[in-house]
Amino acid sequence: VKAVGFAYAQASTSAQACALLQASGGMGKVLGGGQSLGPMMNLRLAQPELLVDVLGIAALHACCALDDAVTLGAATTHAAIEDGRVADPTGGFMPHVAAGIAYRAIRNRGTLGGSLAHADPAADWVNLMPLLNAQMLVHGPAGERRVAATDWLSGAFTTALQDDEILTAVRIPRLSPTARWSYYKVHRKTGEFADALAAFVDDPQGGARRALIGATDGKPHVFAAEPLLDGWDSDFAARQLLAAGLKPDTHEYRIHAVALARAAARLAPRRAAAR
Amino acid sequence: MQRYRCRTWSVATNKPPILPYRGVARSGVCYAIETILDAVALAAGLEPYEVRLRNLVRADEMPYDNITRKHFDSGDYPEAVRRAVRSIDLPAVRARQSRGEADGRRVGFGLAVFCEQGAHGTSVYHGWGIPMVPGREPAVVRLTPDGVLEIRCGVHSHGQGMETTLAQIASEVLGLDPARVRVLLGDTANTPYSTGTWGSRSIVMAGGAVGQACKELRARLLTMGAALLQEDAGALRWEQDALVGGRSRVTIADMAHAWYRQPQRLPSDADARGLEVSTSYQARRDSGTFSYACHAVVVAVDPQLGAVEILDYVIVEDGGVLINPMVVDGQIVGGAAQGIGTALFEAMPYSTDGQPLASTLADYLLPGATEIPVMRIEHMETPSPYTEFGQKGIGESGAIGSTAAVASAVNDALRPLGVVVDCLPITPRVIEVTVAARNAPVPA
């Protein structure tokens, strides 16, 4: 299958990319690694009139390690995160998640920013970023703005990004050295998107004891997880599954419940080892 | 089996769950038969393989006409089952099942036994009342002036490796290096008309035709070689691609050169038919070859999520005399992968208003390299008494048994939970929902 005709432009600055998008009147799409957009265009599920290639914007490749956070340019590939070629503020959490995204060939091309902007609710980064309390750095006609990762996704394939804005970087707070994490992804086969996701971050030193229920139809659900970390409060777990938008007595509810329990089970020995 | 009755229903639909591809209908029939045999084993308190061993046609009964008038040509069906069960180490699997898994998964063992009729001809298809009836299979072979052998067949190779296997057959008969054999397939401008590649027939029918054409060509070359060497044909012998006499030798390339470029070297009454042979082939019986196999599978099933992992996969296959074992292995593995897809992944759902819901490969799941296990294949080689070299058709076999074997293994794993999954594909959702329904408290 081949894409319908489209125009292609390379931007060399964020401002230029935004101007191109603005001029397209909402018919432009940003092209990062193209690992989702490319197939969608070939299947004609997406038919943008203009592709704005942002991989030539130097600022999108910049990664910067600060004392309290790391900023990763939107064009950082999953493979660069997996391989540790960029700073990791999460004690191995992000490289672990990166290594589980699709296939290596896709990770070589696919980008952090592209995945976040594409916003498939079953993808990894849109779920992980709110758990890590990250911030999205957005460039638009009015200049720079920051969006909390918890406010990023408003629904499937829908983000806080406006048509004439681009995501330039993600700022991820550092976890303490004693922080522990776990991640459990349910999927049909290697390379497939998740059917259910659950994850924990336990960082008492940094004041973050959170859990995630993700890969639902809607927003990722991030919540304070003490009742599941110091023992297992099953009523609390059930309330969180409901809050994530899952309906009781459904397959989706049950596999998310299993993912949550198994993520907790993975975390327990790591916390014990950290003491 | 003394009595047999079969009722079939045909449904006309534009929403078929599976289209005619390798093993068409056979994988479904095998799944139905093996599922029933597993149920018989359960009711009789026997290992499923025992039920098969007691009921399979034995080697000393071959050739065997079964109740549906299929003529099984040769083989030792029970031995295939015994070897598969031995290779998978069933006692160890049963011991592992009774120990249980640390991760809560359930291990299951399943098997399927089937035979594959291939290369069946005129009497069979005419008897079925099918409009297209295959007959003798044609082949043309000819030597070119530079001593290359061209093979022209109407069958087509879309991954079956016939470029290799047909060249091998010619090489076997004529002693030519396979690199000097060129195979042309399935082009009506250049090749004989044929009903084509289907029904696991090509290696038997086209292979037989190429073999016979090459034998005819060899006979003509013998006469020609005797003239060139000025010796009695009876005193000559073949050494690779050369005829060797008491005083000297002549290669096939020499003879081709003489025929096309130096006819003065040949007597005036040389064979006018030249170095191009057109022939057609029919097996000694056209009731078909019956290859057969036993697939034995061990799976681990996660009852909470419904995920299935294939832990071990053994195939004991008898394809008669194997022209090329590597090509046969490729056919078997590819077919088994297809059947695993049917068992666990592939589905063509529609919405209630008829909208197809899996119209791209993002939605229509195929098994990939990570989902297909390394299969351990053992070959038995019982020649078919009816074919040119004893070969049998195996093109579809991998796909026939794998769906049934995997389904059998999944249900063996789930049996202690008191549930049976009786639909395909066996997706994680199907397993999880089935197990959850069993566990759910009965509403008051």
Side-chain angles (χ1 to χ4, degrees), chain A:
Chain A
V1 191
K2 286 185 176 168
V4 294
F6 58 89
Y8 171 83
Q10 280 179 313
S12 52
T13 65
S14 299
Q16 193 191 355
C18 293
L20 285 163
L21 289 169
Q22 207 165 21
S24 78
M27 297 310 289
K29 268 291 220 185
V30 174
L31 177 67
Q35 298 304 292
S36 291
L37 184 56
M40 286 180 73
M41 286 175 66
N42 282 341
L43 293 167
R44 303 197 172 185
L45 298 171
Q47 302 189 357
E49 290 175 5
L50 171 70
L51 280 189
V52 179
D53 187 336
V54 295
L55 291 187
I57 303 174
L60 268 60
H61 294 270
C63 296
C64 165
L66 310 168
D67 284 347
D68 60 339
V70 166
T71 302
L72 296 179
T76 306
T77 63
H78 312 312
I81 297 169
E82 176 184 10
D83 297 348
R85 282 182 271 138
V86 294
D88 168 27
T90 62
F93 197 176
M94 285 185 67
H96 171 81
V97 170
I101 296 173
Y103 304 95
R104 178 70 191 194
I106 288 172
R107 301 198 287 273
N108 283 336
R109 301 279 308 170
T111 64
L112 173 65
S115 177
L116 288 166
H118 180 58
D120 189 323
D124 293 87
W125 298 134
V126 288
N127 285 291
L128 189 65
M129 289 304 133
L131 180 68
L132 295 175
N133 205 18
Q135 285 185 315
M136 312 298 185
L137 277 57
V138 171
H139 187 100
E144 306 279 344
R145 68 184 180 110
R146 288 185 176 200
V147 180
T150 44
D151 298 330
W152 183 247
L153 206 71
S154 49
F157 303 102
T158 316
T159 67
L161 207 58
Q162 300 298 312
D163 283 347
D164 53 6
E165 290 181 322
I166 66 166
L167 175 62
T168 56
V170 186
R171 184 183 183 281
I172 302 143
R174 283 188 187 279
L175 296 175
S176 322
T178 54
R180 292 295 177 266
W181 50 264
S182 68
Y183 196 69
Y184 198 93
K185 177 154 79 166
V186 177
H187 55 159
R188 286 288 300 277
K189 56 176 225 174
T190 302
E192 285 296 310
F193 282 94
D195 294 320
L197 271 180
F200 285 87
V201 165
D202 186 24
D203 186 7
Q205 204 182 327
R209 307 191 75 194
R210 288 188 294 264
L212 156 79
I213 298 168
T216 62
D217 287 341
K219 295 177 61 153
H221 177 54
V222 174
F223 55 95
E226 278 85 356
L228 302 182
L229 291 168
D230 309 319
W232 182 263
D233 181 339
S234 48
D235 290 339
F236 177 81
R239 284 199 299 280
Q240 299 309 322
L241 289 160
L242 291 177
L246 295 156
K247 293 190 185 67
D249 299 322
T250 61
H251 172 68
E252 284 70 24
Y253 180 97
R254 292 189 298 262
I255 63 173
H256 282 82
V258 170
L260 187 64
R262 291 189 184 176
R266 281 186 180 175
L267 184 69
R270 295 174 190 172
R271 291 176 63 217
R275 275 189 208 113

Side-chain angles (χ1 to χ4, degrees), chain B residues 317-329:
Chain B
E317 173 99 19
D318 191 340
V321 173
L322 303 182
I323 305 298
N324 185 318
M326 184 180 71
V327 168
V328 172
D329 284 356

Side-chain angles (χ1 to χ4, degrees), chain B residues 3-36:
Chain B
R3 295 284 183 273
Y4 176 86
R5 188 175 65 179
C6 170
R7 294 172 72 188
T8 62
W9 289 264
S10 293
V11 177
T13 174
N14 61 0
K15 299 175 188 63
I18 197 162
L19 283 165
Y21 69 156
R22 175 160 50 188
V24 56
R26 302 184 193 196
S27 53
V29 171
C30 180
Y31 169 65
I33 293 172
E34 297 301 309
T35 301
I36 291 165

Side-chain angles (χ1 to χ4, degrees), chain B residues 24 61 70 79 95 109 126 128 143 166 174 182 216 218 225 230 250 256 267 301 314 325 332 347 349 357 362 404:
Chain B
V24 56
E61 297 174 295
K70 300 282 186 200
E79 178 62 11
F109 165 77
H126 178 61
W128 287 346
L143 283 167
L166 296 179
L174 291 168
R182 186 158 63 225
E216 163 66 20
R218 192 175 61 176
Q230 297 178 15
V250 60
V301 180
V314 169
I332 293 170
L357 299 177

